[in-house]
């Protein structure tokens, strides 16, 4: 990949890059009053998946350096236990349950962020920032009838990003191509792309009908078109030269993120660097394959850690690390078997992806939304550990306060002092979401209303939080949510019910649907 690409922001862990004008590396003409902001966003990384968060068999030294040199939050949250809603809230500062389209999207879904809506990149552009996204998008593209052989719009460029280099949805969904500023990279006009999520194209092999063509076997849902020996969700025909190489994806996104930094080191920038790991299909580069001893899931976490180390090194070599705010996090909690047989369960050993938390991805229990959350700003943020409750949704208001720019804040709250390590005061209340179900975090407490449906999704073997009765947990005393206090503490139960309904509304249970994995 050339370094002339000016790639900007993508979804997955947050890093905000603040650059020093007096660094010993390359000289920079940037003003320290406008630090760079980098959000590094991982995909399905659990609270216990990092050595800095307690993992003993999975070393992540580069992310650990951020945690040890910045603020490591023990109560950091995504808004949602699945990807699209969390990414929506991160970029817009609005609860995803306010947007009925903010749910797990197919690769053909229209853009769910209004082009008139306030976003982090639009706010930062008004303040003179260059904005970019690199990596996973999964917030929809176009208006619902996408022709992948032409300019795809609206997309990231229409909601605030000057430059965008993305995969449209997820690594396990078609189309399996990269888009640069709305155009499919490397597309041969004589081999047009066709996409359909309902039915296959005549003569095209599938994971269900042609298992002999597979290098990775599907467990549930992932049995449609085959790309690089891997069965995907949805059907695709054409675009052969444009299809990505799965094992080179991490290196490709890293190169684009590095090129973006080098191209914009002399002006304030916002980069949304959204890595695809450890989402399925887990396809580590051969340099990392087998290195973790935990199968591909562990291997891609090591790969992501290496990528982040190389990216931070690029900031340092450009002389801007001390003028860069880095925010690192994950879109939701962990899952092991999420559609493929890849030894994630069989080779787990003693590792606990959720750490001490209950549940995981898709769950209203804590492991669904409580995730690694780190802020790092060399020379500005003093190292520490904070128990303040912070949420990714609050980045819009907090960064707006940091740079002194007004913004439409929506549900975003100014947590700048907490993020900078200057205060232990965080949010008082937060609505968390899993699918169409919502619950409340308030102080030391978690309230989960009653919901119908299975208690456990057996496809992924995760407790969802569904119960016929209210669930009330004191997380300070019971982080694993084993002791339901709803019956023994009716006063606290009533207090939290009133708080929950005052924010969420009394009709919170209308429209709730059973989780369906494809």
């Amino acid at each position: 990949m050339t370094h002339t690409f000016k790639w900007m922001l993508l979804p997955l862990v947050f890093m905000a890059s603040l650059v020093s004008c007096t660094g010993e590396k390359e000289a920079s003409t940037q003003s320290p009053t406008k630090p760079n902001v980098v959000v590094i966003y991982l995909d399905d990384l659990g609270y216990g998946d990092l050595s800095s968060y307690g993992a003993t068999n999975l070393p992540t030294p580069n992310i650990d350096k951020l945690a040890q040199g910045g603020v490591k939050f023990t109560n950091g949250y995504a808004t949602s236990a699945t990807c699209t809603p969390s990414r929506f809230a991160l970029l817009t500062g609005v609860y995803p349950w306010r947007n009925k389209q903010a749910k797990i999207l197919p690769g053909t879904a229209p853009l769910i962020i209004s082009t008139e809506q306030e976003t982090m990149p639009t706010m930062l552009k008004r303040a003179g920032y260059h904005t970019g996204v690199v990596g996973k998008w999964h917030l929809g593209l176009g208006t619902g009838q996408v022709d992948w052989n032409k300019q795809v719009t609206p997309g990231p460029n229409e909601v605030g990003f000057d430059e965008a280099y993305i995969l449209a949805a997820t690594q396990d969904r078609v189309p399996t191509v990269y888009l640069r500023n709305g155009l499919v990279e490397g597309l041969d006009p004589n081999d047009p792309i066709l996409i359909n999520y309902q039915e296959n194209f005549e003569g095209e092999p599938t994971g269900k009908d042609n298992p002999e063509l597979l290098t990775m076997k599907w467990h549930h849902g992932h049995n449609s078109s085959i790309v690089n020996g891997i069965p995907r969700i949805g059907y695709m025909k054409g675009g052969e030269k444009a299809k990505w190489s799965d094992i080179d994806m991490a290196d490709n996104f890293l190169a684009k993120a590095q090129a973006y930094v080098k191209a914009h080191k002399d002006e304030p920038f916002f980069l949304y660097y959204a890595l695809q790991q450890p989402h399925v299909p887990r396809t580590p580069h051969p340099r990392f394959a087998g290195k973790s001893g935990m199968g591909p899931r562990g291997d891609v976490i090591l790969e992501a850690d290496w990528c982040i180390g190389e990216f931070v090194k690029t900031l340092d070599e450009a002389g801007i690390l001390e003028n860069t705010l880095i925010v690192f996090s994950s879109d939701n909690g962990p899952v092991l078997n999420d559609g493929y047989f890849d030894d994630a369960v069989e080779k787990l050993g003693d590792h606990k992806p959720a750490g001490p938390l209950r549940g995981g991805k898709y769950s209203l229990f804590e492991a669904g939304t409580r995730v690694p959350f780190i802020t790092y700003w060399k020379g500005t943020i003093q190292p520490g550990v904070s128990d303040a409750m912070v949420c990714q949704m609050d980045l819009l208001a907090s960064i707006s306060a940091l740079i002194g720019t007004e913004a439409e804040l929506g549900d975003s709250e100014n947590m700048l002092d907490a993020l900078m390590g200057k205060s232990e005061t965080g949010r008082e209340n937060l609505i968390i979401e899993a699918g169409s179900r919502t619950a409340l975090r308030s102080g030391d407490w978690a309230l989960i209303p009653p919901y119908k449906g299975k208690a456990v999704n057996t496809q992924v073997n995760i407790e969802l939080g569904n119960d016929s009765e209210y669930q009330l947990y004191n997380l300070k005393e019971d982080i694993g949510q084993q002791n339901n206090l709803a019956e023994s503490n009716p006063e606290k139960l009533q207090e939290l019910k009133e708080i929950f309904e005052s924010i969420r509304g009394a009709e919170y249970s209308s429209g709730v649907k059973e989780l369906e994995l494809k």
Side-chain angles (χ1 to χ4, degrees):
M1 305 298 167
T2 70
H3 292 299
T4 58
F5 294 146
K6 298 179 181 179
W7 303 123
M8 312 268 314
L9 310 167
L10 264 193
L12 288 2
V13 177
F14 302 104
M15 293 174 77
S17 184
L18 300 174
V19 183
S20 170
C21 297
T22 59
E24 296 179 358
K25 311 291 182 178
E26 294 183 25
S28 172
T29 59
Q30 261 185 263
S31 166
T33 60
K34 287 188 176 181
N36 305 309
V37 176
V38 177
V39 171
I40 300 178
Y41 213 42
L42 268 67
D43 198 351
D44 295 354
L45 185 78
Y47 188 84
D49 273 329
L50 304 175
S51 42
S52 49
Y53 275 80
T56 57
N57 299 321
L58 197 60
T60 51
N62 295 296
I63 299 171
D64 292 353
K65 287 180 181 178
L66 299 179
Q68 293 159 2
V71 179
K72 183 185 82 171
F73 289 92
T74 62
N75 284 288
Y77 287 82
T79 57
S80 310
T82 53
C83 53
T84 296
S86 293
R87 294 164 194 273
F88 175 85
L90 165 68
L91 291 181
T92 67
V94 174
Y95 276 123
W97 45 265
R98 298 192 190 280
N99 182 339
K100 293 182 179 180
Q101 301 307 313
K103 55 188 178 182
I104 302 175
L105 299 175
T108 53
L111 180 67
I112 65 169
I113 299 176
S114 168
T115 56
E116 304 299 318
Q117 190 168 358
E118 181 78 285
T119 65
M120 264 208 292
T122 58
M123 178 267 290
L124 286 158
K125 277 172 65 71
R126 289 199 303 273
Y129 278 68
H130 195 275
T131 58
V133 56
V134 173
K136 177 177 173 178
W137 180 242
H138 209 194
L139 288 163
L141 293 168
T143 58
Q145 300 294 328
V146 173
D147 183 346
W148 299 96
N149 307 289
K150 298 179 180 179
Q151 182 89 29
V152 178
T153 185
N157 300 106
E158 286 69 42
V159 294
F161 289 108
D162 292 311
E163 296 184 26
Y165 185 87
I166 63 171
L167 60 86
T170 59
Q171 194 178 344
D172 57 346
R173 286 174 171 83
V174 298
T176 52
V177 296
Y178 300 119
L179 288 92
R180 184 199 312 172
N181 296 327
L183 292 172
V184 172
E185 184 180 55
L187 180 63
D188 180 354
N190 296 315
D191 183 24
I193 294 173
L194 298 176
I195 300 293
N196 193 311
Y197 267 73
Q198 280 69 50
E199 58 184 33
N200 192 21
F201 300 97
E202 185 176 356
E204 293 296 307
T206 68
K208 183 177 181 180
D209 297 332
N210 303 94
E212 73 280 2
L213 300 179
L214 303 181
T215 58
M216 184 182 294
K217 295 182 179 180
W218 60 278
H219 178 269
H220 61 269
H222 300 74
N223 58 15
S224 300
S225 287
I226 303 170
V227 180
N228 302 330
I230 302 171
R232 315 282 169 151
I233 299 174
Y235 302 100
M236 176 177 179
K237 182 178 181 179
E240 290 299 322
K241 292 183 178 180
K243 290 179 179 177
W244 63 51
S245 165
D246 290 276
I247 62 172
D248 294 312
M249 182 175 288
D251 285 344
N252 187 32
F253 285 151
L254 171 61
K256 297 302 185 294
Q258 291 174 315
Y260 180 80
V261 167
K262 293 174 182 178
H264 300 284
K265 63 183 179 63
D266 293 323
E267 61 181 324
F269 65 77
F270 168 53
L271 176 63
Y272 175 29
Y273 180 21
L275 290 76
Q276 85 281 10
Q277 303 104 317
H279 195 283
V280 295
R282 295 149 184 155
T283 54
H285 189 276
R287 301 193 310 275
F288 298 95
K291 298 299 183 182
S292 70
M294 295 183 191
R297 184 177 187 274
D299 297 343
V300 298
I301 292 175
L302 299 185
E303 180 181 55
D305 180 75
W306 177 83
C307 288
I308 290 166
E310 292 300 299
F311 178 78
V312 174
K313 186 186 299 182
T314 299
L315 294 173
D316 193 21
E317 291 173 349
I320 59 174
L321 184 59
E322 294 182 2
N323 192 36
T324 296
L325 169 64
I326 296 173
V327 185
F328 172 95
S329 198
S330 174
D331 62 350
N332 49 250
V335 58
L336 296 177
N337 182 338
D338 205 17
Y340 297 97
F341 289 102
D342 65 359
D343 289 333
V345 175
E346 292 79 1
K347 294 186 177 181
L348 185 64
D350 296 330
H351 180 61
K352 296 180 179 180
L357 308 179
R358 186 178 181 182
K361 183 178 181 179
Y362 310 115
S363 177
L364 280 176
F365 288 123
E366 281 292 284
T369 52
R370 193 192 294 207
V371 291
F373 197 123
I374 300 165
T375 55
Y376 176 91
W377 185 347
K378 184 177 180 181
T380 296
I381 292 179
Q382 297 304 307
V385 177
S386 175
D387 295 330
M389 182 163 65
V390 294
C391 180
Q392 298 161 8
M393 181 172 63
D394 297 327
L395 287 179
L396 190 150
S398 303
I399 293 172
S400 171
L402 173 66
I403 64 175
T405 296
E406 293 185 2
E408 297 176 25
L409 301 182
D411 299 300
S412 185
E413 296 184 10
N414 180 3
M415 294 289 117
L416 182 61
D417 284 348
L419 296 176
M420 293 295 105
K422 297 179 179 179
S423 172
E424 282 286 329
T425 301
R427 268 184 168 264
E428 294 183 6
N429 303 298
L430 175 68
I431 302 295
I432 60 173
E433 178 204 41
S436 52
R437 302 162 298 134
T438 48
L440 174 70
R441 275 286 283 110
S442 181
D444 294 330
W445 296 83
L447 172 72
I448 304 177
Y451 291 105
K452 297 178 181 180
K454 298 176 181 178
V456 176
N457 182 285
T458 56
Q459 290 176 309
V460 295
N461 194 29
I462 289 176
E463 292 183 289
L464 301 177
N466 294 330
D467 197 286
S468 59
E469 304 293 335
Y470 276 95
Q471 298 176 73
L472 178 67
Y473 300 100
N474 184 330
L475 299 176
K476 188 173 183 179
E477 300 176 355
D478 178 27
I479 194 173
Q481 296 178 290
Q482 297 299 308
N483 187 16
N484 183 1
L485 302 177
E487 187 173 333
S488 62
N489 197 337
E491 294 83 5
K492 177 59 71 171
L493 175 63
Q494 184 60 33
E495 175 191 339
L496 296 192
K497 285 170 63 176
E498 292 176 1
I499 293 173
F500 175 66
E501 292 188 9
S502 70
I503 302 171
R504 183 65 178 89
E507 303 300 319
Y508 65 88
S509 61
S510 64
V512 170
K513 298 180 180 179
E514 185 86 12
L515 175 66
E516 181 181 354
L517 300 179
K518 298 180 179 179

